[in-house]
Amino acid sequence: MQARQPFRFCPWLLRWTQALGFGRVAVLGVILLSGLIISIVVFGLLKERERQLVEAQFCHLAGNRLQAVEDTLAMRLAALDWISALYASSQDVERLEFTTFTQSALARYPDLKLVGWAPRVTGAERAAQEEIIRREGLADYQIRQQTAQGILSPAEDRPTYFPIVYLNPLKNHAFLLGFDLASQPEAFNAIRRALKSKQRTLAITALPDHQGGSSSRLVLFKFAHTAPPVADTSAAPKNEGVVFAAVDLPLMVKNAVKDFTPKGIDIYLFEETAAGGTRLILSRPSSQRTDPLPPLQSLPKNPSGIYFMASFRVADHTWWAYCTPCSMYVPEQRTRAPWVALTVGAAATVLITLYLFLLLGWNRQTKALVQKRTAELTKEQQLLRRLLDLQERDRKLTAFEIHDGVAQLLTGALMKLQTLDARKEPLPPTAAELTHEAMQLMEEGNREVRRLIGGLRPPMLDELGIVPALEYLIEEQQRRHPVAIEFRHQLSRPRLAPPLEAALFRIGQESVNNAVRHSRSPRIRVELLSTNGAVRLRVQDWGDGFDPQSIRGERFGLRSIQERARLLGGAAAIQSHPGQGTTITAELPLEGPFGEEE
């Protein structure tokens, strides 16, 4: 008898643990620990994957911001090209014309604070140039420079000056007219590069403000000159110098990145120096930052964590952008997926371990119950077998007692009567008639005794075997009932084990009796065959038939057929339908605890 298992892997798991010598708790501990380790590993992989995604997304977003800053600077440099083109296309650019032309650029770019024109004036031309400008209406005009105290005073004598002559807007900046850009070393170096290369240059330089101090500005320069007279195209330009634009770099960067999301990206801008290093020119904290921005004086050489670093060209300089996330950026970009995976994995591991714990316990209990029930059934089978053996012995003993007792007495009495009948002196007619009747009754009684002996235990079953016993049974049935019984037999051995022969005889006896008494069939077929290590007994009739389901608990004889077959390790099948006859088939093993020949 086998217990029904809910999952096939549980017996396999039990056998595996038993083979390795592990206990149930140890195996479940290994499963629990393995599941938790796998969950932690998956959690770590997801965290690392998330970190990589956050870093890649940050670099992408920072790169977009840098591109916006670079495009914005390119538009400011393009405005400088427009002003330079104005001078190149005109023989003389007047102040009003300059103001009108540059007004649109100032209106378009709020971070473009100043645009102006600074001609080159030699030391010998200084006085004449100042007089010309005064005649144009600027009575206080003179070439000046800013002292260390922040005061604008007449410029020192030098070979070349680049005074601001045109300026837009003039409001709050008129005091810059006449300011010598060459008095600032950074501006002067940028102007010389512009004059030499005829390309755009830049300088981070200090310009005086209206409060008597100075403010650092990004100043863009480009060489510019007026066109020569039309009549003499080979003549030198009438006037040359530089056009410049002062840009509020923090405001420009703010406007360039203000529409980007998400926030939380700090921006540093560095400029490469002539010595090969870098210097900080702008640090812009994110709008989400609540703490001060970490100070940096130069570009980090070995940064750590999440960052973005890239270089780009602005005029004749190389700038570096260095972007880092603020403290709130990374937490906002993270998801709950790693923690969900860890929680689900740990919970699933615990649930599976608990389930296996209960399941293995259930299997152990089931196995114990199966073993207990199997032992009980074995004892029951042994008891039933013993009861059947005792029953057969009782039948045999009873048959012997009848044969040696009643049969002998009947035979002796018959012999006495035959002797009396054979006397020479004739009996009176009445006595002779009674004697003959008594002799007939004795003979009938003797035949009935032999029939009872054959029903209890036919002697030929023990002496000759199952085939002659079944032949005797069939002959007795045919003698007493008008039915044709066909017997076919083919056994692989002449004798079988006594328990097997007894069981086959009782099954055949019950089946033939049922067919004769209840089927009303004109013919019956009995087959006894050896097949594949077993012996098969089949009794078939073509009578009334019945429904086996409707009389399952009513026919003790049919149940005894099935029980006898089961006790000998075989099986018996009863097939019948109303009006279609009945077939009883019993198949018993030739070898085994009951089938082995004794």
Side-chain angles (χ1 to χ4, degrees):
M1 180 177 181
Q2 296 181 351
R4 183 179 179 183
Q5 305 292 344
F7 291 101
R8 294 184 178 179
F9 72 89
C10 293
W12 174 85
L13 183 60
L14 287 173
R15 290 194 297 270
W16 177 70
T17 56
Q18 293 173 356
L20 295 180
F22 295 154
R24 179 179 58 164
V25 176
V27 172
L28 293 178
V30 171
I31 294 175
L32 178 61
L33 183 61
S34 301
L36 293 178
I37 291 175
I38 292 174
S39 300
I40 293 173
V41 170
V42 172
F43 171 78
L45 293 175
L46 289 178
K47 288 287 288 185
E48 176 61 21
R49 178 60 177 167
E50 183 183 64
R51 187 197 66 79
Q52 295 175 357
L53 290 176
V54 170
E55 183 174 1
Q57 183 187 39
F58 174 82
C59 292
H60 175 72
L61 296 175
N64 290 342
R65 286 164 170 76
L66 175 60
Q67 186 63 48
V69 171
E70 189 175 355
D71 293 343
T72 302
L73 281 170
M75 287 187 287
R76 306 307 180 264
L77 291 170
L80 201 63
D81 292 338
W82 301 338
I83 301 173
S84 177
L86 171 65
Y87 276 84
S89 61
S90 302
Q91 295 182 12
D92 187 18
V93 177
E94 297 181 354
R95 189 179 304 277
L96 180 59
E97 182 181 2
F98 179 86
T99 301
T100 303
F101 186 82
T102 59
Q103 190 61 41
S104 61
L106 292 172
R108 183 180 301 174
Y109 307 129
D111 53 86
L112 195 59
K113 298 301 182 181
L114 292 172
V115 292
W117 156 255
R120 177 162 56 180
V121 178
T122 64
E125 298 172 340
R126 173 178 178 177
Q129 195 266 352
E130 290 177 340
E131 182 63 27
I132 292 172
I133 300 300
R134 292 190 190 104
R135 291 176 184 174
E136 293 179 357
L138 299 177
D140 296 332
Y141 176 84
Q142 60 178 334
I143 299 177
R144 295 175 294 176
Q145 67 182 35
Q146 191 175 31
T147 64
Q149 293 75 25
I151 301 173
L152 291 175
S153 61
E156 299 175 352
D157 292 337
R158 58 176 62 93
T160 306
Y161 304 91
F162 286 89
I164 299 176
V165 175
Y166 292 168
L167 191 63
N168 192 20
L170 281 175
K171 184 178 180 181
N172 297 328
H173 300 99
F175 62 90
L176 287 176
L177 290 173
F179 177 73
D180 183 17
L181 295 175
S183 64
Q184 299 290 339
E186 295 86 355
F188 186 51
N189 288 333
I191 290 172
R192 286 192 301 178
R193 295 196 306 272
L195 294 176
K196 182 179 179 180
S197 65
K198 303 300 187 292
Q199 301 295 324
R200 299 169 295 188
T201 62
L202 66 84
I204 305 295
T205 186
L207 295 178
D209 57 28
H210 64 281
Q211 296 178 351
S214 61
S215 58
S216 181
R217 298 285 186 181
L218 169 65
V219 183
L220 309 174
F221 300 95
K222 185 170 184 181
F223 171 77
H225 63 84
T226 56
V230 178
D232 187 6
T233 57
S234 63
K238 179 179 180 182
N239 201 358
E240 67 176 13
V242 291
V243 291
F244 67 91
V247 179
D248 186 345
L249 185 59
L251 180 60
M252 187 203 72
V253 173
K254 177 182 178 181
N255 293 333
V257 301
K258 66 180 181 180
D259 295 330
F260 284 92
T261 57
K263 310 295 183 182
I265 298 179
D266 300 327
I267 300 176
Y268 295 88
L269 293 180
F270 297 91
E271 179 185 42
E272 286 188 358
T273 62
T278 57
R279 65 168 183 166
L280 179 68
I281 58 176
L282 173 72
S283 60
R284 181 184 182 276
S286 165
S287 60
Q288 291 184 342
R289 178 173 287 278
T290 57
D291 55 334
L293 188 65
L296 293 176
Q297 298 303 322
S298 61
L299 186 68
K301 293 184 178 180
N302 296 306
S304 60
I306 298 177
Y307 68 91
F308 173 78
M309 184 186 299
S311 63
F312 60 101
R313 294 287 294 179
V314 181
D316 61 339
H317 278 57
T318 298
W319 283 10
W320 284 87
Y322 178 68
C323 302
T324 59
C326 70
S327 58
M328 299 177 62
Y329 177 84
V330 174
E332 290 179 352
Q333 302 305 313
R334 287 175 177 166
T335 64
R336 297 181 180 179
W339 291 102
V340 171
L342 178 61
T343 303
V344 172
T349 300
V350 172
L351 291 176
I352 291 174
T353 304
L354 180 61
Y355 173 75
L356 290 177
F357 178 80
L358 297 175
L359 195 59
L360 291 176
W362 179 85
N363 275 277
R364 293 179 63 183
Q365 295 176 359
T366 303
K367 184 177 180 181
L369 291 175
V370 169
Q371 292 176 347
K372 180 179 179 181
R373 182 57 180 162
T374 301
E376 293 176 353
L377 290 176
T378 302
K379 291 181 180 179
E380 291 178 0
Q381 288 180 347
Q382 292 175 353
L383 179 60
L384 288 175
R385 183 167 64 91
R386 290 176 183 175
L387 290 176
L388 289 177
D389 291 342
L390 290 175
Q391 185 184 41
E392 290 297 327
R393 290 177 183 177
D394 289 343
R395 287 172 179 261
K396 185 176 181 180
L397 181 59
T398 302
F400 285 157
E401 290 178 350
I402 293 175
H403 180 271
D404 295 339
V406 177
Q408 294 297 329
L409 292 176
L410 289 175
T411 301
L414 180 60
M415 292 177 63
K416 293 291 185 180
L417 291 175
Q418 289 176 348
T419 301
L420 179 63
D421 185 57
R423 288 179 58 185
K424 294 182 178 180
E425 297 85 359
L427 294 174
T430 303
E433 184 180 357
L434 292 175
T435 300
H436 284 291
E437 290 179 358
M439 290 174 60
Q440 291 178 354
L441 290 174
M442 290 294 181
E443 291 176 355
E444 183 66 24
N446 205 8
R447 286 194 295 271
E448 185 65 21
V449 167
R450 286 197 298 271
R451 187 186 65 79
L452 290 175
I453 293 174
L456 289 172
R457 179 78 176 188
M460 62 183 63
L461 179 63
D462 297 321
E463 298 172 359
L464 302 177
I466 183 63
V467 173
L470 290 177
E471 289 177 343
Y472 170 76
L473 173 66
I474 292 171
E475 289 176 359
E476 285 294 315
Q477 292 291 347
Q478 287 181 323
R479 185 178 63 83
R480 299 177 60 191
H481 302 283
V483 60
I485 302 177
E486 178 187 2
F487 180 41
R488 299 177 182 179
H489 58 86
Q490 184 178 359
L491 295 178
S492 59
R493 58 184 70 175
R495 294 299 303 269
L496 303 177
L500 183 59
E501 289 185 334
L504 289 172
F505 179 78
R506 295 305 176 191
I507 292 173
Q509 185 182 40
E510 183 66 29
S511 301
V512 172
N513 286 339
N514 287 338
V516 171
R517 295 176 182 177
H518 305 294
S519 69
R520 294 189 295 182
S521 174
R523 62 190 181 96
I524 299 172
R525 178 183 296 168
V526 179
E527 294 180 352
L528 182 64
L529 306 172
S530 297
T531 57
N532 299 326
V535 58
R536 179 188 301 162
L537 175 63
R538 175 179 295 172
V539 179
Q540 182 179 6
D541 67 66
W542 287 264
D544 296 339
F546 60 94
D547 183 6
Q549 300 295 330
S550 62
I551 59 171
R552 180 177 296 273
E554 300 176 3
R555 297 286 182 90
F556 179 77
L558 298 179
R559 291 180 57 189
S560 66
I561 292 174
Q562 294 175 327
E563 287 298 321
R564 285 181 182 275
R566 184 181 66 84
L567 288 175
L568 292 178
I574 301 174
Q575 298 177 340
S576 182
H577 295 281
Q580 299 182 15
T582 302
T583 301
I584 297 177
T585 304
E587 188 167 327
L588 307 178
L590 288 172
E591 307 296 336
F594 303 111
E596 292 179 353
E597 186 175 357
E598 296 180 352

